[in-house]
Amino acid sequence: MSINYSERIPNNVSLSDDRRLQRALEAWQPGFLQWWSEMGPESFQSCDVYLRTATSTDAQGWATFGYMKMPDYRWGIFLAEPEPDRRIPFGEHKGEPVWREVPGEHRGVLRRLIVTQGDTEPASVEQQRHLGKTCPSLYDLRNLFQVNVEEGRHLWAMVYLLHAYFGRDGREEAEGLLQRRSGNADNPRILGAFNEKTPDWLSYFMFAHFTDRDGKYQLASLAESGFDPLARTCRFMLTEEAHHLFVGESGVGRVVGRTCQLMRAHNSFAVGEHGGIDLSIIQKYINFHYSVSLDLFGSELSTNAANYFSAGLKGRFKEADRTDDHRLTGSSYSLLKPDNGKIIATEQPALLALNETLRDSYIADCERALARWNKIVKDAEVEFELKLPHRGFRRSIGEFGGVSVTPDGQIIAAEEWQRRKSEWIPTETEREFVASLMKPVTTPGQFASWIAPPLRGINHQPLDFEFVSGLPSA
Ligand code: BYC
């Protein structure tokens, strides 16, 4: 592996041997740094943050911890090591050697997939840029920044592919990734969820849990790709993704834990006056973020997805573990869809239903995490069960788009849904209440009233470790 640590861009893609690519990336880098200073974490750029940096893909290089200022983070390009004699694992080209270069006939589609993936990474940094000012602890602040710099690195990963394999139009797309802005009416990010606001830390933990988890499933599908550079890039990104999901799941779990503790102490479901967030509000946040994230999988029946699969560009989650023919010609899938006011199961070609197949894997994963949150509730001896809403609830994309479905899966009239929506998703008053709790806590070892401390610190550090120092004065 050729890593030249003295380079400005740490990498394991022999960048120093490729002058053309090096020049392209070095030309892009100032724009990236400009974007980071404009759209990255607001007010904290000169703080010292205890960060983990990937300097190589082996176990040691990848867990290097130390203080640094975020703009000095060494955003680098890392691909998982190549698998010798890797074969395309699915689709019409199954069994053929993987592509080391872009197959000409799939160039446009592949570029589009890479751009869509790449677009989410800076978008999430933009969505989260205000959060530092209301952090519930230094531990959480540090985790937020870790996630942010890694999303920046994931952008680098996709830009590397665009620069290295797509020539001039790749370079233009890489520029576009720095131009679009989350929530901007004229030039928004590509996918819906990445134009939503992340106004408070409960939203942030929900986003890191539900929306980053879409990232896990999409990256895992792209990690199967017959275009080997994409597969290897996504494999390495997945190792970073695990920490983001940990931040989300443990963050929500700690809020749930604190709420239950307050409920027990005050013998009441209403913990707002004691500085906690009621379980009923947490449930509404779950409903909101889960439904937004379900839309990210695209339409249930998708010729795009069928084409990606048949062409060998985007596989299924854990493709290799599946025992079918990996081509899906002639297979069917039982798909739920609304029909005349009811939700019915219909047989559909499996090839067309690949987005739904991936959504199924995601939903099963969300169910497992939900069970872990419910265990926190149960262990606290509180009578309450958190639930995931029905997959048709509040959807904008696909078969359920615009259909008024309740969390328990009943189709109702649009007016009734509008009348009752305050039972299911956070009201303005509830959002304002959550916002009112968002007071920064920056004393090492202390945590906001609405969230329990984590079990342990990062990298075996004690909880009162100064995870971020040199904070701006309030
Ligand atoms: N919003 O056949 P359809 C992550 C568009 S998250 C807006 O239904 P397809 C991360 C679609 O583009 C992972 N538009 O869907 C998480 C198409 O447009 P055109 C991101 C949408 O193409 C947290 C039309 O509707 N990675 O990494 O099969 C923090 C019909 O398309 C949406 C990827 O998404 C939507 N929700 O699948 C940081 C992987 N859904 O052609 C990072 C790459 C669909 O009519 N992307 N549309 O203009 C893909 O694989 C596919 O593009 C999708 C959609 C799965 C997103």
Side-chain angles (χ1 to χ4, degrees):
M1 188 165 53
S2 67
I3 297 171
N4 182 345
Y5 293 100
S6 65
E7 295 236 24
R8 286 167 64 198
I9 306 168
N11 69 91
N12 69 344
V13 293
S14 304
L15 198 53
S16 50
D17 300 341
D18 188 341
R19 288 296 302 147
R20 191 191 58 81
L21 177 60
Q22 205 175 357
R23 273 200 303 277
L25 285 169
E26 282 178 3
W28 184 79
Q29 192 177 39
F32 169 79
L33 290 172
Q34 176 70 22
W35 167 82
W36 178 267
S37 81
E38 275 169 28
M39 299 312 295
E42 201 182 332
S43 311
F44 293 90
Q45 300 287 348
S46 58
C47 296
D48 292 304
V49 187
Y50 186 67
L51 289 177
R52 177 182 73 172
T53 311
T55 50
S56 69
T57 54
D58 54 36
Q60 287 92 19
W62 146 231
T64 310
F65 284 87
Y67 281 106
M68 74 181 71
K69 301 190 194 322
M70 284 181 277
D72 299 335
Y73 183 81
R74 297 179 72 225
W75 282 284
I77 298 163
F78 295 104
L79 275 62
E81 291 303 309
E83 249 176 57
D85 193 34
R86 182 169 175 251
R87 304 274 155 166
I88 299 172
F90 58 89
E92 285 161 5
H93 301 282
K94 181 177 173 337
E96 295 173 19
V98 289
W99 300 297
R100 312 272 176 210
E101 294 296 330
V102 176
E105 71 273 31
H106 303 313
R107 188 184 157 83
V109 177
L110 202 46
R111 192 185 61 215
R112 190 188 147 90
L113 278 173
I114 292 169
V115 168
T116 308
Q117 176 63 49
D119 191 68
T120 63
E121 317 289 0
S124 67
V125 175
E126 292 165 4
Q127 288 170 300
Q128 296 162 15
R129 69 184 302 253
H130 303 290
L131 289 172
K133 286 189 255 175
T134 55
C135 66
S137 71
L138 286 185
Y139 164 90
D140 290 293
L141 185 63
R142 177 261 167 218
N143 282 350
L144 169 72
F145 294 158
Q146 181 74 55
V147 170
N148 290 162
V149 292
E150 286 177 359
E151 301 299 10
R153 207 202 65 73
H154 290 182
L155 170 61
W156 271 86
M158 292 299 124
V159 165
Y160 156 71
L161 292 173
L162 291 170
H163 278 175
Y165 296 96
F166 292 89
R168 186 189 182 148
D169 40 338
R171 289 196 294 279
E172 283 169 10
E173 293 284 13
E175 281 306 313
L177 290 170
L178 296 177
Q179 304 305 324
R180 285 185 286 278
R181 290 285 182 274
S182 174
N184 185 303
D186 300 325
N187 199 9
R189 293 294 173 184
I190 297 171
L191 298 174
F194 294 90
N195 290 303
E196 296 280 348
K197 286 197 162 55
T198 310
D200 57 66
W201 278 77
L202 182 57
S203 303
Y204 168 64
F205 290 132
M206 294 285 173
F207 180 96
H209 181 77
F210 288 113
T211 308
D212 273 89
R213 196 171 300 273
D214 168 53
K216 168 181 165 185
Y217 282 85
Q218 298 295 344
L219 288 174
S221 307
L222 296 173
E224 301 285 345
S225 183
F227 178 48
D228 205 42
L230 175 61
R232 291 173 52 210
T233 302
C234 292
R235 280 174 198 194
F236 186 67
M237 289 164 76
L238 278 167
T239 60
E240 288 163 319
E241 207 61 56
H243 174 68
H244 306 187
L245 295 176
F246 161 79
V247 168
E249 181 179 334
S250 63
V252 176
R254 287 162 54 212
V255 181
V256 170
R258 176 65 179 152
T259 300
C260 291
Q261 195 185 28
L262 290 169
M263 287 170 73
R264 299 270 305 174
H266 300 282
N267 198 20
S268 166
F269 268 86
V271 294
E273 63 181 289
H274 309 294
I277 304 176
D278 290 355
L279 288 176
S280 59
I281 298 182
I282 296 175
Q283 176 65 63
K284 291 182 186 182
Y285 272 68
I286 290 176
N287 294 348
F288 181 90
H289 286 271
Y290 178 67
S291 52
V292 170
S293 303
L294 284 183
D295 269 343
L296 288 172
F297 290 82
S299 306
E300 288 81 353
L301 295 172
S302 166
T303 47
N304 286 351
N307 292 338
Y308 300 152
F309 184 81
S310 296
L313 304 177
K314 182 180 175 191
R316 290 169 292 175
F317 186 65
K318 300 211 163 147
E319 186 67 50
D321 295 353
R322 297 178 186 255
T323 52
D324 53 32
D325 67 355
H326 302 276
R327 287 195 170 86
L328 295 179
T329 39
S331 322
S332 65
Y333 175 92
S334 174
L335 180 87
L336 291 180
K337 54 193 270 192
D339 182 73
N340 256 334
K342 288 212 167 55
I343 296 174
I344 57 161
T346 61
E347 284 305 301
Q348 300 288 342
L351 202 48
L352 284 180
L354 282 167
N355 286 341
E356 195 65 357
T357 308
L358 193 60
R359 195 164 11 235
D360 286 342
S361 304
Y362 170 84
I363 290 175
D365 202 7
C366 290
E367 292 283 3
R368 288 190 290 272
L370 188 88
R372 291 190 287 272
W373 293 336
N374 275 325
K375 180 157 187 318
I376 297 172
V377 179
K378 193 158 177 251
D379 289 350
E381 296 177 0
V382 164
E383 289 291 318
F384 193 92
E385 195 186 353
L386 294 165
K387 295 193 171 114
L388 292 179
H390 189 272
R391 70 174 74 207
F393 173 70
R394 215 180 73 92
R395 292 284 302 284
S396 303
I397 303 275
E399 300 287 334
F400 290 101
V403 180
S404 302
V405 179
T406 63
D408 58 4
Q410 304 300 314
I411 297 182
I412 57 175
E415 304 75 54
E416 186 185 350
W417 198 97
Q418 284 303 325
R419 207 172 52 243
R420 293 182 59 193
K421 72 176 178 193
S422 62
E423 295 170 34
W424 304 319
I425 51 174
T427 61
E428 264 322 297
T429 315
E430 285 161 340
R431 285 197 181 276
E432 279 164 19
F433 167 71
V434 171
S436 75
L437 292 178
M438 301 292 131
K439 305 260 169 26
V441 176
T442 53
T443 307
Q446 294 201 2
F447 291 82
S449 62
W450 51 272
I451 188 165
L455 291 178
R456 59 189 71 84
I458 290 296
N459 194 30
H460 311 295
Q461 298 292 0
L463 285 187
D464 60 359
F465 184 75
E466 197 170 10
F467 288 105
V468 183
S469 76
L471 294 177
S473 42

